[in-house]
Amino acid sequence: MDQKVQDLTVVLFGNSSAVLFGDENILLGQNKPATDAADFPLTVKKQDVSGRSVNLINILDLQESDLYLDSVDQAIVRLVTENEIHTFIFVLQLGKLTDTDKVGLEWLQSKFGEGVLPFVMILFTYEREEDCDTIIDDLKNNTVLEQLVQKCGGRYHTCSKNMNNQSEMKALLEKIDHMVSENNHRCYTADLYNSASQLTEDNGNQQSACNAQLPQDDLETTASKQTGNEKVSSF
């Protein structure tokens, strides 16, 4: 049996439309992110979840806010500087996968580096019990969902959209405990973030140096190839 982690720190990201907020919501309550704020609010809420103390950081919708808020990068620096994170929970609604959801993990990696993936678990929410019963078939028949789960090491959980079922929340915490054990009780920390940021900077400098050495014709060819690679396949 996996050891229970005291004071779990959990970051939830993804789409807020996959959640019904309210007093009955055991995990988030009425803690809906204020995405219309000039600065994305970053708060840690201590919550009692199935008898466990959990520090919840709600960054749902931050990916979409990243398109128009300059403060997102600063918020992420604060997030990793002030917290040691046990897990990132990617919240998705079964049957309603958006284009933004499809690239959610890529967004997370772009902000936190590839080293974040061992700390990620997907939480599929459902509105009807029968939706939950078909999750295995959905994963087999939907290559996008299957790939997302594979990137997260096969880690996923399902719960009702209003997150009011104690047994589902208890099972979620047990899966998080198991993941923490698999990670040898390591957390995602500022050191991991700084290493990822340095690697990104080094790769950018290396690419700039290579471009500086290329003749103009080669630069135009490279730019043409990059433009061609930006096409996104639809699912």
Side-chain angles (χ1 to χ4, degrees), residues 53-149:
S53 176
V54 180
N55 301 308
L56 285 170
I57 304 172
N58 182 355
I59 62 169
L60 293 170
D61 295 334
L62 185 60
Q63 179 183 352
E64 293 190 1
S65 301
D66 194 14
L67 298 174
Y68 59 88
L69 288 183
D70 295 331
S71 59
V72 169
D73 287 338
Q74 292 94 321
I76 287 175
V77 170
R78 282 179 48 220
L79 172 65
V80 299
T81 301
E82 299 173 3
N83 302 277
E84 293 188 349
I85 301 163
H86 291 96
T87 183
F88 292 80
I89 302 294
F90 187 14
V91 184
L92 301 172
Q93 184 172 347
L94 284 172
K96 294 186 178 180
L97 195 67
T98 68
D99 290 338
T100 302
D101 293 336
K102 293 174 185 177
V103 294
L105 288 180
E106 282 79 359
W107 174 81
L108 190 74
Q109 288 177 273
S110 74
K111 296 299 179 182
F112 296 91
E114 291 188 7
V116 74
L117 286 182
F119 301 92
V120 181
M121 179 186 299
I122 297 178
L123 179 61
F124 292 111
T125 66
Y126 62 86
E127 291 183 298
R128 303 174 303 168
E129 288 286 347
E130 50 265 37
D131 293 333
C132 180
D133 294 337
T134 63
I135 179 63
I136 301 299
D137 291 333
D138 290 341
L139 292 178
K140 289 179 180 178
N141 298 328
N142 190 317
T143 56
V144 177
L145 283 180
E146 186 178 27
Q147 289 170 3
L148 288 175
V149 172

